[in-house]
Amino acid sequence: MRKILICMSLYLLLVSVACSSTNLMAQNSNNKIAKVESTVTKIYTAMVAKNKDVLEDLTFEKLSYGHSSGKIENKSEYVDGVLNGAFQFSSIIPVDQTITIAEDVAIVRHIFKGEGTNNGTPAKVNIGCLLIFQKDNGDWKLLARQAFKL
């Protein structure tokens, strides 16, 4: 009887450790997803506000930024386009966003809904977007973006 109690106690201990480990992994994953989501929000807020420092801080030097037109920009072209380009955003909202994390890479997909002016004329944007983030010194930074027409 004593052996049975010891075995049952060990079994319960193992189950408890396994459940705790699973909960910690889920919490860690949720924290990573929340940080990536926050970074997306910061980038879009910086695009609307034309905040050069934030845009430069949250993007890699080797950024590849693809537009739905097929145009590809590097980091300096992207930042200059946000600050001085023909299209000026008044709002950007990611819709139906999903975030998948694999090690130090995050894949973000959403519908990019934006409003603003294009050469002074009111305009709306409704495109699909794929963003690739990579962890850099504990922070998530944009490495690549590709937009596509819906």
Side-chain angles (χ1 to χ4, degrees):
M1 181 70 156
R2 183 167 184 217
K3 287 182 181 180
I4 291 172
L5 287 175
I6 291 172
C7 286
M8 286 177 55
S9 295
L10 286 174
Y11 174 75
L12 290 173
L13 177 63
L14 288 174
V15 169
S16 175
V17 168
C19 288
S20 295
S21 177
T22 301
N23 283 341
L24 288 176
M25 289 188 315
Q27 287 174 350
N28 189 28
S29 178
N30 288 341
N31 287 341
K32 286 180 182 178
I33 288 170
K35 286 182 180 180
V36 171
E37 190 171 44
S38 172
T39 303
V40 171
T41 299
K42 287 177 186 174
I43 287 174
Y44 288 163
T45 300
M47 287 175 69
V48 171
K50 297 183 185 183
N51 188 326
K52 180 180 180 181
D53 292 336
V54 172
L55 293 173
E56 289 184 343
D57 187 48
L58 295 179
T59 55
F60 275 104
E61 287 304 316
K62 297 283 186 180
L63 175 68
S64 177
Y65 193 90
H67 293 271
S68 63
S69 66
K71 180 179 179 181
I72 306 293
E73 296 176 329
N74 63 28
K75 180 176 181 168
S76 63
E77 292 166 329
Y78 158 68
V79 172
D80 183 61
V82 170
L83 300 177
N84 305 307
F87 200 101
Q88 298 299 307
F89 286 100
S90 59
S91 70
I92 302 171
I93 301 170
V95 177
D96 296 331
Q97 183 164 273
T98 62
I99 299 172
T100 305
I101 297 178
E103 302 293 328
D104 65 344
V105 174
I107 301 164
V108 179
R109 294 179 182 273
H110 58 242
I111 305 302
F112 179 105
K113 291 191 175 276
E115 292 186 5
T117 58
N118 190 1
N119 288 316
T121 303
K124 292 185 180 190
V125 177
N126 186 51
I127 55 177
C129 240
L130 168 68
L131 303 145
I132 305 295
F133 289 87
Q134 186 172 2
K135 221 167 200 189
D136 182 49
N137 294 322
D139 295 322
W140 292 99
K141 289 189 175 186
L142 184 63
L143 178 62
R145 182 251 200 189
Q146 185 59 59
F148 52 93
K149 294 178 183 178
L150 295 175

